[in-house]
Amino acid sequence: DSGADAVYQGLGQKAGIASFMQDFVSIITTDDRISAAFANADKERLGFLLTEQFCELSGGPCKYSGKDMNSAHEGMNISNTQFNALAEDLQIAMDKHDIPSSIQNKLIAKLAPMQRVVVTK
Ligand code: HEM
């Protein structure tokens, strides 16, 4: 499938995304490299918003309702090292859900432009 929603389909549609996001949120909130940033985070809300965001980003029929990436992360002083740790955790969560690497790579490529917005340190 090379349609506009190929990545969305490869991620298992909204239910598949919601499922690996649950693991992703558990992983990032317990990863010593970045967990401190999430000490006061509302994990349920974060998982909900990430699901919407990734559904839309992957070509699915969703509309992200959260803050833009600049407002969501301003003042957090996020480094490239932290960004890369989070991206690695995302891959761990997707591996756990048997998402094919070709799909994972396409998703990661869609996130790449966010690095210069999220990283402010
Ligand atoms: C591609 C990379 C990233 C994406 C797509 C992303 C996405 C998001 C989204 C959708 C939200 C919710 C925004 C809202 O509240 O309306 C959020 C919040 C947040 N993000 Fe990120 N983020 C990324 C990188 C990072 C990194 C590297 C860190 C720190 C290590 C981080 C820390 C946080 C924190 C602490 C919150 C607030 C959570 C809360 O207060 O409940 N993010 N992010």
Side-chain angles (χ1 to χ4, degrees):
D1 189 349
S2 58
D5 70 344
V7 177
Y8 176 67
Q9 297 302 337
L11 294 173
Q13 305 184 341
K14 192 155 186 196
I17 297 170
S19 174
F20 80 76
M21 277 310 169
Q22 221 168 350
D23 278 308
F24 176 60
V25 171
S26 307
I27 294 167
I28 59 178
T29 55
T30 54
D31 179 341
D32 289 343
R33 299 172 297 176
I34 52 175
S35 60
F38 297 98
N40 299 313
D42 179 340
K43 293 183 205 178
E44 212 153 308
R45 182 171 171 275
L46 186 59
F48 171 83
L49 289 172
L50 285 167
T51 299
E52 274 187 354
Q53 186 188 37
F54 281 57
C55 173
E56 181 174 359
L57 195 67
S58 63
C62 304
K63 190 82 193 115
Y64 171 61
S65 64
K67 295 177 190 161
D68 65 79
M69 288 296 93
N70 179 50
S71 322
H73 302 94
E74 68 185 346
M76 288 187 194
N77 254 329
I78 295 170
S79 67
N80 278 309
T81 305
Q82 287 175 307
F83 185 95
N84 292 334
L86 180 137
E88 194 185 306
D89 289 345
L90 181 64
Q91 279 168 303
I92 292 168
M94 291 193 288
D95 278 341
K96 198 176 158 192
H97 289 258
D98 296 320
I99 291 165
S101 53
S102 60
I103 298 293
Q104 291 194 23
N105 292 340
K106 285 181 187 143
L107 184 67
I108 295 290
K110 288 178 188 290
L111 295 177
M114 292 180 190
Q115 183 150 7
R116 61 175 173 273
V117 177
V118 169
V119 172
T120 51
K121 188 179 178 178

